[in-house]
Amino acid sequence: MMNNKEIPDFRFTPTIDKVGVEERVARIQTKSIKGESKVQGMKMILNMIDLTTLEGKDTPGKVKQMCYKAQHLHSQYPDCPTVAAVCVYPSMVKIAKDALGNSNIKVASVSTAFPSGQAPMEVKLMDTRFAVEQGADEVDMVISRGKFLAGDYNFVYDEIAAIKDACGPARLKVILETGELVTLDNVRKASEIAMHAGADFIKTSTGKIQPAATMQVTYVMLMAIKDFHARTGKMIGMKPAGGISTSKLALHYLWMVKETLGDEWLSNEWFRFGASSLANDVLMQLMKSKEGVYQSSDYFSID
Amino acid sequence: MSKDSKKPLSTWNLNPAPESTEHIKLKEQYELFINGEWQKPTAGLYFDTVNPASQEKLANIAHANDADVDKAVKAAREAYTNVWSKMSGKERGKYLFRIARLIQEKAREFAVIETLDGGKPIRESRDIDIPLAANHFFYYAGWADKLEFAFPNKKVESIGVAAQIIPWNFPLLMAAWKIAPALAAGNTVVLKPAETTSLTALKLAEIIEESGLPAGVVNIITGFGDTGSALVNHPDVDKIAFTGSTNVGKMIQKSTAETDKRLTLELGGKSANIIFEDAAIDQAVEGIVNGIFFNQGHVCCAGSRLFVQEGVAAEVIQKLKDRIDTLVVGDPMDKNTDIGAINSQKQWESISKYLELGVNEGNEMYQGKCAIPEKGLYFPPTIFIDVAQSSRLVQEEIFGPVLTIQTFRTVDEVIQKANNTPYGLAAGVWTDKGSKIFNVTSKLRSGVVWANTYNKFDPTSPFGGYKESGFGREGGLHGLASYLK
């Protein structure tokens, strides 16, 4: 946990100009990422993916198959990287952990009554402890958006700090659910609260609410991370989740990280994509850059 | 790549992404476009136009003398008297719409040529210069048949022959700013582009030819200061519109003093960009970058004097340094370039002198970390920190990627300092507080004031200066009024 003396007054977090952010992002999206730099970027993207299944209908079978895919994205591509992690519900953590063995791929578990977070504190703590006991390397918690919107920043802060405590050695990703926070000012404020309260990562969305991740929201969170780092010297990771399904968009996200935070953040220790369908689009582009022609989606496994 | 998912990767850089030049058509030699024909210059003189990035020659350009200017003005007069002033606004509008559409169709070719000839990044010519030029024609095309509604209770009348002289920083865009309202209002035109950037104006002449515009309505003549001087002093010119340096503007005003020629001048600037401590800082930093490094700082309204409130000065300067380090200086044809080539050797030397001056004055200087290409005219983005109002760096227009930073304490102080200049073209105000925007913007003596943005242009919005930044407005209805009696 952070030293309490460092906690700022969250009513006075920096303001964000939406129009300015849109222009900044539009300019990043004019970047032309081609040739070798595209291949290098796409390999990084694959290696930053949190391959995700978060459904009521998840079963051990489904999770095991996804874990195989996580380790063998596309055997036709030589030296294909693995994904960074798989992301599942707490009840599936053990299954995933066993399926991944000693592959170095992390298991991330959502917790705190994901996705709504509408449960008592005790339940959220139990949820988190259970996930960690089952072997989760990372915990993806949700903040209490209702409390945040009602101005109860202390509640939100204390909750994150308590969950961080319960995580033990597991790294904590804090989901802001930016689609429910609506304004970029709120996104900035929630980012600050999460980082000060002990988040290792800040994450945009659950994937259950629209809009999920956008480049604008991610830009605001990256700049919050940059400022936090300048102030405290502590690096915080970033995870946009939901809505990133094409390689071109993911490359622009990655370039945005490079332009705002620099090369130090360009590894899966500090940047992740929460996505389920992105991997295959990237694989398709990688094969195209190798073979010169596009292959049909039937040549790429869906797990 | 190893299976170790934690291993950090090496640095990631972009491959060169040059825009193709294959689709453009350039002639080896360009003549003068007079009376709908390509005419050889009377004296048979030509000059080279070169690519400032590679220093390679692009084409021969005709150098018009007094006799050529006279031919062009006569052609414009004849077209005015016999054709254009008699044509209905509706018909005039059709030609303007056609020109606008042809610019759009050839947008890519225009963008590439603009960048080759002028040195500005292809990103800017593609996304800003060319689309805006087309939009100016579209906008004024719409007014051509509605002049009496544009100026109610007034009998509107065209003026006659307009002599228009434009600068090298936005070659096609300035041609559009000048030609479109003149034609919509029923005037005919003799236009002279700057000697270093004639090509897109000559390509525009090709489009005008293709559009079937009656001969002599638009004449485009190329040359140096002597050509411009002959045009300004021609007795049969009714109206002069000049965009360029304040010195030349003063000369033009003197030479027209004893004539009945109408005059509008859009001249230099030393515009203040003001950051208050309650601004959205990251977006303000981006606005500073857009304000001064847009088009290598070759912008009359460039936000070249930065004022930062002391409470946030350290933060703003640090963030600005970080952002400057990410700017790519280099090949203007590369789609990822942010800052292209300085337009001419002369301009490069002029900027360098100011740099030397700033260093000799003992100011703290910071320059972007991007490696500069060895060949070609390049200049790194440069900031001078804690400069005084009494420094020449703050007082004189540098017209390059050089920013001065001054700090301030109160609203009154910054308004006073922002207005303490012979110029008054533009200003920027950055604050999250609406009432502060209204207060400050109403007290700044400059023709354009942007709030929480900078360097935004639109055909519907008038643009022009106070004091030594000139008089008259271009764009919007104000711009149309300058071409009507």
Side-chain angles (χ1 to χ4, degrees), chain A residues 189-206:
Chain A
K189 199 185 291 287
S191 301
E192 301 247 340
I193 294 172
M195 291 186 294
H196 281 280
D200 297 301
F201 261 83
I202 50 177
K203 175 175 169 184
T204 59
S205 325
T206 60

Side-chain angles (χ1 to χ4, degrees), chain A residues 285-301:
Chain A
Q285 295 289 338
L286 267 179
M287 288 305 283
K288 195 251 175 185
S289 63
K290 182 165 162 275
E291 313 265 328
V293 287
Y294 280 108
Q295 298 174 358
S296 127
S297 59
D298 289 344
Y299 290 87
F300 301 92
S301 59

Side-chain angles (χ1 to χ4, degrees), chain B residues 226-367:
Chain B
D226 59 327
T227 312
S229 168
L231 181 57
V232 165
N233 291 310
H234 195 287
D236 203 26
V237 161
D238 299 306
K239 146 95 191 170
I240 295 164
F242 171 77
T243 298
S245 73
T246 295
N247 278 342
V248 176
K250 285 178 179 175
M251 279 156 54
I252 293 175
Q253 194 172 3
K254 276 179 197 153
S255 74
T256 57
E258 293 186 346
T259 72
D260 63 353
K261 291 172 188 169
R262 287 154 190 259
L263 179 62
T264 49
L265 297 173
E266 201 267 271
L267 309 173
K270 191 74 185 176
S271 300
N273 205 3
I274 303 167
I275 317 292
F276 287 101
E277 59 192 7
D278 58 1
I281 298 294
D282 288 322
Q283 287 72 61
V285 167
E286 201 57 25
I288 298 167
V289 168
N290 290 335
I292 186 62
F293 301 124
F294 176 51
N295 197 27
Q296 296 77 245
H298 301 328
V299 184
C300 45
C301 53
S304 51
R305 288 188 296 149
L306 177 66
F307 289 95
V308 190
Q309 201 158 15
E310 291 196 357
V312 291
E315 186 188 356
V316 167
I317 291 165
Q318 185 56 51
K319 280 172 177 264
L320 183 59
K321 286 177 178 174
D322 289 351
R323 179 70 178 104
I324 288 174
D325 285 340
T326 67
L327 293 175
V328 180
V329 184
D331 180 9
M333 288 298 286
D334 194 302
K335 289 176 231 171
N336 295 322
T337 291
D338 295 301
I339 300 179
I342 300 301
N343 183 264
S344 65
Q345 181 70 31
K346 195 175 136 205
Q347 191 56 30
W348 191 90
E349 282 163 13
S350 164
I351 301 167
S352 300
K353 271 185 200 144
Y354 280 106
L355 189 82
E356 202 184 316
L357 179 75
V359 172
N360 289 342
E361 276 183 0
N363 298 297
E364 185 192 342
M365 182 182 77
Y366 186 84
Q367 294 188 308

Side-chain angles (χ1 to χ4, degrees), chain A residues 18-198:
Chain A
K18 182 166 170 273
V19 176
V21 170
E22 282 165 0
E23 277 179 17
R24 178 77 179 96
V25 166
R27 183 155 170 184
I28 290 166
Q29 289 191 287
T30 65
K31 288 289 174 191
S32 175
I33 306 169
K34 300 278 186 243
E36 263 309 300
S37 56
K38 182 176 175 185
V39 171
Q40 190 191 347
M42 289 192 296
K43 286 183 176 174
M44 278 194 276
I45 290 166
L46 288 178
N47 194 232
M48 289 169 169
I49 289 176
D50 282 5
L51 206 57
T52 303
T53 183
L54 293 168
E55 290 177 351
K57 64 177 191 269
D58 284 347
T59 57
K62 160 74 191 174
V63 171
K64 278 184 203 161
Q65 290 172 37
M66 191 179 77
C67 288
Y68 189 84
K69 166 95 173 182
Q71 300 167 76
H72 310 274
L73 278 173
H74 198 59
S75 44
Q76 290 80 357
Y77 192 84
D79 295 325
C80 191
T82 66
V83 299
V86 297
C87 185
V88 293
Y89 271 114
S91 57
M92 294 294 154
V93 168
K94 182 106 190 9
I95 313 279
K97 197 68 192 168
D98 292 346
L100 291 169
N102 55 2
S103 67
N104 264 324
I105 298 173
K106 310 282 185 220
V107 175
S109 170
V110 296
S111 90
T112 66
F114 180 95
S116 74
Q118 296 284 18
M121 189 62 193
E122 272 312 303
V123 175
K124 292 183 183 180
L125 286 170
M126 279 173 63
D127 201 14
T128 306
R129 286 190 197 113
F130 174 77
V132 176
E133 278 161 25
Q134 293 281 300
D137 305 293
E138 300 169 356
V139 169
D140 290 26
M141 72 169 285
V142 292
I143 67 165
S144 295
R145 284 87 76 190
K147 292 286 187 186
F148 177 92
L149 291 171
D152 199 346
Y153 306 137
N154 288 347
F155 182 96
V156 177
Y157 179 97
D158 291 344
E159 196 176 61
I160 296 168
I163 298 294
K164 170 68 183 171
D165 220 25
C167 280
R171 291 180 91 199
L172 175 65
K173 305 197 195 94
V174 178
I175 302 171
L176 309 182
E177 194 63 301
T178 54
E180 289 187 342
L181 301 184
V182 184
T183 69
L184 295 178
D185 283 325
N186 279 347
V187 170
R188 172 73 194 217
K189 199 185 291 287
S191 301
E192 301 247 340
I193 294 172
M195 291 186 294
H196 281 280

Side-chain angles (χ1 to χ4, degrees), chain B residues 336-446:
Chain B
N336 295 322
T337 291
D338 295 301
I339 300 179
I342 300 301
N343 183 264
S344 65
Q345 181 70 31
K346 195 175 136 205
Q347 191 56 30
W348 191 90
E349 282 163 13
S350 164
I351 301 167
S352 300
K353 271 185 200 144
Y354 280 106
L355 189 82
E356 202 184 316
L357 179 75
V359 172
N360 289 342
E361 276 183 0
N363 298 297
E364 185 192 342
M365 182 182 77
Y366 186 84
Q367 294 188 308
K369 283 189 189 143
C370 179
I372 307 288
E374 281 174 20
K375 203 179 156 216
L377 301 169
Y378 293 99
F379 210 94
T382 304
I383 59 175
F384 283 103
I385 297 160
D386 271 340
V387 190
Q389 188 83 359
S390 46
S391 163
R392 277 179 58 203
L393 286 187
V394 166
Q395 294 167 347
E396 297 174 16
E397 184 177 40
I398 300 173
F399 224 61
V402 179
L403 176 74
T404 62
I405 304 179
Q406 297 167 265
T407 58
F408 69 94
R409 297 154 299 175
T410 65
V411 172
D412 289 344
E413 179 189 11
V414 77
I415 290 170
Q416 205 179 19
K417 282 193 171 167
N419 287 335
N420 177 213
T421 164
Y423 295 110
L425 194 52
V429 177
W430 297 80
T431 167
D432 207 34
K433 194 165 182 172
S435 58
K436 203 180 282 175
I437 290 175
F438 287 112
N439 177 35
V440 175
T441 54
S442 65
K443 288 174 182 154
L444 289 172
R445 304 246 305 137
S446 57

